[in-house]
Structures are given as structure tokens and as C-alpha cells.
Amino acid sequence: MASRRVIRLALCGDVMTGRGIDQILPHPSPPTLHEPYVKSARDYVALAEDANGPIERPVSFDYIWGDALAELDRRQPDLRIVNLETAVTRSDRPAAKGINYRMNPDNVPCLLAAGIDCCILANNHVLDWGREGLVETLDVLRLAGLKSTGAGQDAETAANPAALPVAGKRRVLVYAFACPSSGAPPDWAATASRPGVNLLNEASQAAAAAIVARIARDRRPDDLVVVSIHWGPNWGYDVPPAERAFAHRLIEADVDVLHGHSSHHPKAVELHRGKPILYGCGDFINDYEGIGKDTGYRDDLPLIYVLDFDAADRRLVGLEMVPFVIRRFRLSRADPADTAWLQAELDRECRRFGARVHRAADGTLHLLATERGVAKAGP
């Protein structure tokens, strides 16, 4: 449980509550899809059932979170932040892009069931049902009391951070950006006269300088700052040098954590000047279960990243990763074999950036900084 001396953030990657997930919730959208091969969202439910057994329908709003709810309740984070990678709309006008995620607005209680505090909307699916669908998404989240950032009615509101107060501690500012490298179309960018996402055209030093200047205008002396970025392809562990240099520039300018996502699986974590860079948090909730593919990656093994910062000086004092497995569209704690596989993959990737991943007796994963190849306890 977080103490008054610690600010505890729970960060997750992509939460895709549309399509097959939406179909098992109490108020499913019309199932018609416009994909090249799959024409009904119910087919994704059938694939999951073929793989792991029947899913009773409708499920309760908290069903999809499964064991994650108990793990979050046990750790009591001050804030819960996810990348919501779906439109929340009744719009029937899909964008011509092949894959269109949509959750019925009447299913928004599924987000409230997990106590989500902030939804990142800077991604490549939030405009899947056009600008009309985006505007409805913004309205639905606002009326539900959910903060969002990374998309807006115009460029100014899309760029505004979510300001999240933490009682008795500090305020947390969350900025969000979508890169074309994630599949976010350039014409989705918000402008002075149209809704859209906060688009980051490239992870360049000039772009980093502009973000740093914007943060300096908004930030109060005690604020903790999260920069959330949807970048890179769905598969692969590679971190391009330009992205690493971009992340370093933000950390060196006193950003407290870089929250990356877009890859369907977790990628490396780096500690730079003692602050965490999560290059890719992976999917947290998806409807890919049962889809036949052999990529060598595991998009069915999500993580909650639990970050502890000293409330006095914003120093990172702990980074824990809690592994789950997706079965029947529900999160369960990963078993020892799956946890060991994930730990080995992440440890290999984190070594490239001067860190190691240790597996504790309870199955949680802990990031350890290294010095000359020797792991040191704590960040």
C-alpha cells in the first residue's frame, strides 16, 4: 500500500475494449465489421472460446479485469493510467482503414470498475469511427468523470495535459502524443479548427525541445510529469536510436517517466538518470485470443507497471511489474512458467540498457539498475 511519503502510479499499455470485448459486455455495439476477412465482432469471441472455453454472456462490467482488480486494490496506487485504444461511440461511420475498434458508450462502466483515473487517447484507433466518434468519446469519458489527454476538440485541447491531483502529495501532469510510426494517420492531427489527436510527427530533438518548453509553461514546482507516447510498430523489441535520444532528452529536462506503448508485447525498460523509460508497455486488454499466429512474441502476457516516487523529491524508489495472462477475455495472474518466460525476455532486453529484471517469490518482476554488469537493489 502506498504511504504518504510515496506517490504510486499504476501504468498499463493498450486497453482495447472494443470489438470482441465489447460484444461480451452488457451493451454490445452492432457487430458488423469492415475488415478484409472478419465481418463480425462475434467471430473474435468465438475464436477465444475455441481456444480456451466458453464465455458466459453478458459478463459483468468488472469481468475483463479479473485478478488485476485484487492486485491493484492490494497496492493502492494513487493513480491508474491506461492507453484507451478504442473509440467509445455509437457512430456508424467507420474510417476507411480496415480495422475499427468501437465500444458502446453504455459499456463505459467497465472502465469505472477498474478505477481508471486517466485515459490516454493519443493512439491509432481513437478516430476509428471518424471525428464524430472522437467527439462522442471525449464527451462520454468526461460525463463519466474520467480524465483524458492526447486528443481533443482542437489542437489546443488535444495538447493540454491531464492534471491529476494526489491528495496530500503532488499534482501529476500527463501529456500524451501519437506518432505516425504507430499507424496514427497524419491527417488525424488536431488543428485549430478540427478535432483530432496530439500528433508527434517524429521523435526528434527539435520535437523534444518543443515538448520541454510546453511542460515548463504548465508545470508548478512540485508537479510530477508523465509523458505518454504511442510509437513504433506492433511487433519487435528494437528501440531506434532516435527514440532513445528523444526519451533521454525529456528525462534530462526533468520529466519523471516516459510511458511508451503501441507494441503488442512489453519491451525494454531503461533507467536514465534514475528515471524510468518504458519503451513499450504492451497490450493490457485485447481480443486477440485464439487468433492463429506464430510471431515468437506473447501478446497474451500483459503487465501492470507500478512505479513509486518519493513524494518529497520525485525520486524513483521502486518499479514493480505484475504479470497476467489473458484467457477468455479475462486477466488472471500468470503462472510460474509464463512468468519465467516473460522475465527472461525482459531481462535480455533490459540488459541492453543497463538494467536487469528479477523475479520475486510471489511472481512479481522487479527492475534493478546495474553497474558494470552487477545488479544493484532498487533503481
Side-chain angles (χ1 to χ4, degrees):
M1 180 174 178
S3 73
R4 290 185 63 83
R5 294 175 295 178
V6 169
I7 295 177
R8 177 167 291 172
L9 305 182
L11 303 179
C12 298
D14 300 343
V15 169
M16 295 178 279
T17 52
R19 212 167 59 177
I21 302 294
D22 180 66
Q23 291 302 301
I24 68 169
L25 291 170
H27 307 287
S29 304
T32 302
L33 298 179
H34 304 272
E35 300 177 8
Y37 303 108
V38 181
K39 300 304 180 183
S40 172
R42 293 171 184 161
D43 290 349
Y44 287 97
V45 182
L47 287 167
E49 292 181 318
D50 288 345
N52 291 306
I55 302 170
E56 185 176 347
R57 282 167 271 174
V59 299
S60 61
F61 286 120
D62 63 355
Y63 169 87
I64 58 175
W65 306 99
D67 293 345
L69 294 180
E71 296 294 338
L72 286 166
D73 288 346
R74 184 161 68 86
R75 289 166 176 81
Q76 289 294 299
D78 293 297
L79 295 172
R80 306 176 185 198
I81 300 169
V82 304
N83 176 51
L84 181 61
E85 201 169 17
T86 186
V88 186
T89 180
R90 293 183 177 85
S91 171
D92 246 345
R93 298 178 182 175
K97 62 191 289 285
I99 303 294
N100 304 88
Y101 292 149
R102 172 178 59 175
M103 180 174 77
N104 188 322
D106 290 337
N107 285 332
V108 79
C110 77
L111 300 176
L112 303 177
I116 303 302
D117 294 289
C118 180
C119 295
I120 307 302
L121 299 181
N123 57 60
N124 62 314
H125 284 289
V126 75
L127 270 85
D128 277 0
W129 295 82
R131 299 186 194 282
E132 175 187 337
L134 170 61
V135 170
E136 186 176 7
T137 299
L138 293 166
D139 289 342
V140 169
L141 296 179
R142 177 179 53 81
L143 291 172
L146 290 162
K147 294 284 186 74
S148 66
T149 182
Q153 296 274 3
D154 52 36
E156 180 179 358
T157 55
N160 285 341
L164 309 173
V166 179
K169 300 179 184 179
R170 294 172 179 263
R171 188 176 68 157
V172 177
L173 295 184
V174 183
Y175 296 82
F177 304 86
C179 290
S181 62
S182 71
D187 64 358
W188 279 17
T191 70
S193 59
R194 76 179 183 196
V197 300
N198 192 24
L199 196 73
L200 179 68
N201 285 312
E202 58 179 353
S204 66
Q205 291 299 292
I211 293 170
V212 168
R214 170 62 197 259
I215 292 171
R217 293 198 301 271
D218 298 336
R219 189 180 206 165
R220 299 173 186 167
D222 286 342
D223 287 342
L224 189 147
V225 173
V226 176
V227 173
S228 189
I229 307 180
H230 202 62
W231 58 0
N234 291 339
W235 308 106
Y237 291 110
D238 182 53
V239 176
E243 288 185 3
R244 190 180 186 200
F246 179 88
H248 284 192
R249 174 70 179 90
L250 294 182
I251 295 296
E252 289 160 7
D254 215 22
V255 166
D256 295 289
V257 54
L258 190 142
H259 172 222
H261 34 85
S262 178
S263 59
H264 287 321
H265 55 88
K267 297 174 69 171
V269 179
E270 180 179 12
L271 292 175
H272 183 62
R273 296 193 176 182
K275 296 295 179 73
I277 301 170
L278 316 177
Y279 283 109
C281 290
D283 291 347
F284 193 64
I285 288 182
N286 65 38
D287 66 352
Y288 299 159
E289 189 179 344
I291 296 176
K293 58 184 183 297
D294 184 14
T295 62
Y297 305 102
R298 295 286 302 273
D299 58 12
D300 63 332
L301 294 180
L303 292 169
I304 295 176
Y305 296 77
V306 182
L307 282 60
D308 285 346
F309 294 88
D310 189 298
D313 60 10
R314 307 191 341 263
R315 177 173 48 90
L316 182 71
V317 294
L319 199 165
E320 180 184 47
M321 296 166 280
V322 188
F324 298 88
V325 64
I326 301 172
R327 293 291 182 269
R328 294 185 298 131
F329 290 171
R330 183 180 185 275
L331 293 167
S332 299
R333 275 301 303 264
D335 65 24
D338 283 340
T339 300
W341 184 90
L342 189 55
Q343 181 266 334
E345 293 286 300
L346 288 175
D347 186 63
R348 182 195 66 228
E349 294 305 312
C350 290
R351 283 191 201 188
R352 298 164 49 205
F353 301 101
R356 299 295 303 272
V357 176
H358 168 72
R359 178 162 45 105
D362 66 355
T364 59
L365 305 179
H366 296 262
L367 190 76
L368 306 177
T370 62
E371 183 175 354
R372 296 178 182 175
V374 179
K376 300 186 298 179

